[in-house]
Amino acid sequence: MNIAQFEKEIKPLLNRYTMQYATFVYGDFGSLERIELEGFNKLATVDFWSKGWIGIDIYDCACDEQVMNILLSPEDKHRIPLELDKFVTLLNQTK
């Protein structure tokens, strides 16, 4: 998974969120491309590092709680679809 695949496969499922993009070079896991999402009292980030690491984080402002925080190594790539499904489900949940 990379940012282009996220744009194609995940972004359409989260069209009610505002998204901002940032790029950082020379991080611990290589260069970083970050997507920041905001909406419905939730803040989230998805980080794509050039060395294959992916970070996923969701903070629910309504309950003042981090509801997802995961870092996947390149060896965990088989878990990416499952974790992104959880990500979309959590962001689309309403209380």
Side-chain angles (χ1 to χ4, degrees):
M1 172 69 64
N2 59 35
I3 201 162
Q5 288 174 290
F6 183 93
E7 287 283 314
K8 182 179 177 185
E9 299 171 20
I10 306 299
K11 184 178 178 178
L13 304 173
L14 302 170
N15 59 9
R16 302 178 311 160
Y17 282 83
T18 60
M19 296 186 194
Q20 293 186 23
Y21 299 82
T23 301
F24 306 92
V25 293
Y26 308 120
D28 290 340
F29 302 121
S31 296
L32 168 66
E33 292 184 277
R34 172 175 287 164
I35 303 170
E36 299 173 354
L37 299 95
E38 182 176 348
F40 307 95
N41 284 324
K42 294 178 184 162
L43 304 171
T45 58
V46 180
D47 296 325
F48 297 97
W49 280 278
S50 61
K51 292 184 179 179
W53 291 76
I54 295 177
I56 303 170
D57 182 72
I58 301 173
Y59 185 81
D60 189 325
C61 300
C63 64
D64 193 26
E65 184 179 332
Q66 187 172 32
V67 295
M68 184 174 195
N69 184 15
I70 189 162
L71 180 62
L72 299 169
S73 73
E75 292 79 25
D76 293 326
K77 65 181 176 182
H78 64 280
R79 292 180 47 204
I80 295 170
L82 175 65
E83 298 301 338
L84 285 174
D85 283 345
K86 288 181 191 177
F87 176 77
V88 170
T89 299
L90 287 168
L91 287 179
N92 286 324
Q93 278 181 342
T94 56
K95 296 189 180 195

